[in-house]
Amino acid sequence: MTDSARSSSKILCYITAPLEVTKVITCKAVNSLSSLMVSGSEELVSSVLRLENISNMKCIFPITVAVPFRAWYRLNYHEAVVKVVDQQQRISYVTPAATEGTYGGHRGTFAVVRVYTLGVFAVLSCLQRETFTIPKRGLCLKLSVDSRICLHYPAGSFSTPVVAQAMVQPVDAMLLSSLKYRNDSCHSILTTSPLLYLNHPLTVSPLRPLTLTLPCPPKPKTMKTGEEKTCTYSDSTALIPDTTSSRQVRLIVLRLLSSVRPSCLVFFAEELQESVRTYRVSIVIHKRQKDPSSVVLAVLPSRDLSWGLTELHAQAYCGSPEQSSEILMREGEQLLVKFSSNITSTGDQCTEPHTLTFHNQRRNWLCLQLKELDPFGNYSSPYYKGTALLFQIPKDQLVWKEDKAVISEDYCLGQPVCKLTLTLPKNVKTLSRPISAKFLRQDQAESLCDELLAWLCSELSEEDASMLVMCLRLRRSSVQLARLRAPNSLELQIFHILTTWRQALPSLTPKRPLLAHCLTRIGRPELAAELLKKALAVDTGERSGAETQRPVTVHGPPLHVIKGET
């Protein structure tokens, strides 16, 4: 089944069913619902897809659905399950009959399940559930996920056979160190066992105490490796809820350096349970190499930051990695993106806000097309400047609306969790003017071309040149620089002096009358008249075009020689 909502032929799943059933089933990706498809310690490892019946024909069940997925972190404590939400939003978990297969000529990882309803499907990575039956004669069980954990139910624990479940959540040593760093009251906790979750029926209570064995890492330099701690419900380091009405019991063994108040232990256990579901992430913004307005906003787990940046570079996204400080996010939480200053993104943000959902085992990228708000803004900078503001949206503030997880209307945004600067290069705009307009510009109509200056240099004597320098009021440094550039040629010296004087004048200053006035003051009125006459001939040649243009005859050193030596 391909995505029916798009023109692309991206394969979402494979369905095995009678032919008349497959003709009336449609499939589309609804990844906007991914936030609401995970809970607890679940992690999304596939696309979220919806299967619907487009006709009134009754579907023949069961049908077999194979959903491709990719799990980056496969541990003994986790398993892949398919979560199904039917049309009445009832939730069910289906254990795949297989997790590998060959479909469409390609062998890969597929969650193959037999289902009896249509709705929303997703493959999740969950803590492995081990289901077992406790008979009246008792049970001694070593869990398959971790054989070091042993549950011993003595005979007579229950009056009737009971079905129970167990799940194991490992605790990373780095996580324990960070918790001890943030809480001074927890420094006496040396090591912990994995978290053990036990599910018993609500209607039946155990008649005899349960004995369990949990592995707890040894105390450094004093205990032997592999030594285990055995505890019962009465052990002070086994934390259990105060009420027995809860279906699930939370259990953990703590190795202490010294005595700790029970309230601190309970607080530590609750914070530990939340921390194992929280991830440290960094947010980066990179630009596409050939299109700076196309950027990608990526949320990368801190432990995979270098690998994530390498993947961005491989996809032609580069630039200075504008990176946020580490923030804490849970699976399925959203980031709302807003823009300030002179940069925004294309599209109507009022009706379609930009959101990015974080999933630990998925690619968390949001591609954006940026544009400037005011093309005349940031005039003193070669770039348009703006800021991306990111707000963290808790999962309990997301509601199901059609095929999207939207923010509750009652939720008020707090302070942004991070701010990232944005820049856009300014494009050079070419202004089109009529051809005749250039003859109206005073700086072009009265410009002194190099040919006229070269002719004038050949007509001036050394005495004339000295008097002209004084009349033009040039700096002594300009005259000295001209002498250094052409020590053996008076004409080149005068040419350098006149070009320096021409460049120093404002563009709209009438240069020809000013130079002719100076020539008259030094006693060379005939040169002033000839200069204006030749300049008029140059202007007439420019207006007549290339066919009627007449060259100006000048005397003195060739112009290419002057430019070459300049």
Side-chain angles (χ1 to χ4, degrees):
M1 303 291 293
T2 58
D3 191 349
S4 60
R6 298 183 180 181
S7 59
S8 61
S9 59
K10 180 182 179 181
I11 297 178
L12 296 181
C13 67
Y14 295 89
I15 293 181
T16 304
L19 183 60
E20 59 273 13
V21 174
T22 59
K23 289 183 178 180
V24 299
I25 292 180
T26 62
C27 179
K28 66 178 181 179
V30 287
N31 290 318
S32 298
L33 286 173
S34 62
S35 296
L36 302 177
M37 292 299 292
V38 292
S39 60
S41 59
E42 300 169 351
E43 295 182 354
L44 184 70
V45 293
S46 75
S47 297
V48 182
L49 54 96
R50 178 185 286 277
L51 295 178
E52 291 180 313
N53 185 357
I54 59 175
S55 70
N56 295 327
M57 175 184 173
K58 184 178 181 180
C59 291
I60 303 175
F61 292 106
I63 62 175
T64 302
V65 181
V67 184
F69 71 96
R70 180 183 179 185
W72 291 349
Y73 305 102
R74 293 187 180 181
L75 302 175
N76 296 330
Y77 299 96
H78 292 76
E79 63 179 350
V81 298
V82 176
K83 190 173 186 177
V84 183
V85 182
D86 63 11
Q87 297 177 353
Q88 287 74 34
Q89 293 193 0
R90 293 174 298 189
I91 300 175
S92 59
Y93 293 87
V94 184
T95 302
T99 55
E100 291 185 357
T102 303
Y103 293 91
H106 301 282
R107 183 168 183 82
T109 53
F110 298 88
V112 184
V113 293
R114 290 167 60 89
V115 296
Y116 294 82
T117 184
L118 299 180
V120 181
F121 293 74
V123 184
L124 308 178
S125 175
C126 305
L127 291 179
Q128 187 170 342
R129 299 173 182 264
E130 187 163 347
T131 305
F132 51 93
T133 302
I134 307 172
K136 291 190 291 184
R137 65 176 182 273
L139 177 68
C140 185
L141 175 68
K142 288 188 176 182
L143 299 184
S144 60
V145 294
D146 192 338
S147 60
R148 301 172 300 172
I149 301 177
C150 181
L151 308 177
H152 178 66
Y153 294 88
S157 296
F158 296 95
S159 58
T160 59
V162 170
V163 178
Q165 280 186 341
M167 295 184 300
V168 180
Q169 172 71 65
V171 178
D172 187 38
M174 295 297 296
L175 176 61
L176 176 61
S177 300
S178 65
L179 288 178
K180 292 172 63 176
Y181 177 77
R182 296 198 301 264
N183 301 290
D184 295 337
S185 60
C186 301
H187 281 281
S188 297
I189 300 175
L190 296 179
T191 56
T192 71
S193 69
L195 287 167
L196 175 64
Y197 299 93
L198 291 178
N199 287 335
H200 289 158
L202 284 174
T203 57
V204 182
S205 299
L207 303 177
R208 301 188 62 182
L210 161 69
T211 302
L212 57 92
T213 302
L214 287 175
C216 192
K219 182 179 178 181
K221 300 182 181 179
T222 58
M223 305 291 290
K224 294 182 180 179
T225 303
E227 184 173 347
E228 296 175 348
K229 174 76 174 181
T230 303
C231 66
T232 63
Y233 281 137
S234 60
D235 197 316
S236 61
T237 58
L239 303 178
I240 59 176
D242 297 333
T243 60
T244 58
S245 60
S246 176
R247 175 185 295 270
Q248 188 178 79
V249 179
R250 184 176 71 255
L251 292 161
I252 186 174
V253 173
L254 309 176
R255 191 181 298 278
L256 307 178
L257 180 64
S258 59
S259 61
V260 181
R261 290 180 299 176
S263 60
C264 294
L265 295 179
V266 174
F267 173 77
F268 172 80
E270 292 175 349
E271 191 173 5
L272 179 64
Q273 188 176 8
E274 290 296 320
S275 298
V276 294
R277 303 172 183 174
T278 306
Y279 306 94
R280 294 183 177 273
V281 301
S282 297
I283 306 173
V284 299
I285 287 184
H286 275 199
K287 301 177 182 178
R288 189 172 288 277
Q289 287 181 347
K290 297 183 179 180
D291 185 9
S293 62
S294 298
V295 300
V296 61
L297 175 70
V299 180
L300 307 175
S302 297
R303 66 174 181 272
D304 301 328
L305 181 59
S306 59
W307 180 84
L309 294 178
T310 302
E311 187 181 13
L312 284 172
H313 295 163
Q315 296 293 328
Y317 288 103
C318 64
S320 58
E322 182 66 29
Q323 178 180 330
S324 70
S325 57
E326 285 188 340
I327 63 174
L328 299 178
M329 293 195 69
R330 297 188 63 179
E331 178 79 10
E333 281 190 334
Q334 286 189 358
L335 287 174
L336 176 66
V337 186
K338 289 191 173 185
F339 298 91
S340 66
S341 300
N342 198 26
I343 290 181
T344 185
S345 67
T346 56
D348 188 1
Q349 297 185 59
C350 297
T351 58
E352 294 292 337
H354 294 296
T355 57
L356 176 62
T357 306
F358 170 73
H359 294 289
N360 184 45
Q361 298 197 47
R362 301 280 290 174
R363 176 187 283 179
N364 307 300
W365 288 10
L366 178 62
C367 295
L368 299 171
Q369 195 74 22
L370 302 182
K371 65 177 183 179
E372 73 280 359
L373 287 175
D374 182 9
F376 301 101
N378 307 115
Y379 62 89
S380 61
S381 173
Y383 299 94
Y384 297 115
K385 299 179 180 180
T387 305
L389 308 177
L390 290 99
F391 301 84
Q392 192 168 357
I393 310 299
K395 281 191 58 180
D396 56 2
Q397 298 297 331
L398 300 174
V399 294
W400 191 307
K401 184 177 180 180
E402 297 179 352
D403 283 339
K404 296 181 180 180
V406 299
I407 304 173
S408 174
E409 297 179 356
D410 300 332
Y411 180 70
C412 297
L413 293 177
Q415 295 295 323
V417 292
C418 73
K419 301 179 181 180
L420 300 176
T421 58
L422 301 172
T423 58
L424 274 179
K426 295 181 179 178
N427 296 325
V428 179
K429 297 183 179 180
T430 304
L431 300 178
S432 59
R433 296 187 179 93
I435 299 178
S436 59
K438 67 178 182 179
F439 298 108
L440 302 178
R441 288 182 53 185
Q442 190 175 12
D443 59 334
Q444 287 190 359
E446 295 186 352
S447 63
L448 280 172
C449 61
D450 291 345
E451 287 81 359
L452 290 176
L453 294 182
W455 164 80
L456 183 60
C457 293
S458 63
E459 299 294 331
L460 293 174
S461 63
E462 184 176 359
E463 182 180 358
D464 294 337
S466 301
M467 296 175 63
L468 183 61
V469 169
M470 296 177 60
C471 187
L472 294 176
R473 297 182 180 180
L474 291 175
R475 294 181 179 180
R476 183 180 300 177
S477 59
S478 301
V479 178
Q480 293 176 349
L481 180 61
R483 292 174 178 173
L484 291 175
R485 296 176 67 180
N488 300 323
S489 175
L490 177 62
E491 294 183 6
L492 286 180
Q493 292 179 15
I494 302 174
F495 182 82
H496 291 317
I497 291 174
L498 291 178
T499 54
T500 303
W501 167 79
R502 181 184 60 183
Q503 294 174 358
L505 291 176
S507 58
L508 297 180
T509 300
K511 303 176 182 61
R512 296 174 185 172
L514 183 59
L515 182 57
H517 177 68
C518 293
L519 290 173
T520 302
R521 289 187 59 185
I522 66 174
R524 299 297 302 269
E526 76 283 359
L527 285 180
E530 188 70 17
L531 174 67
L532 296 177
K533 180 179 178 181
K534 292 182 177 294
L536 182 60
V538 172
D539 294 340
T540 304
E542 289 182 356
R543 291 190 184 96
S544 61
E547 296 180 355
T548 60
Q549 186 176 8
R550 293 176 297 180
V552 178
T553 304
V554 297
H555 303 281
L559 181 61
H560 69 275
V561 176
I562 296 178
K563 291 185 177 180
E565 297 190 15
T566 301

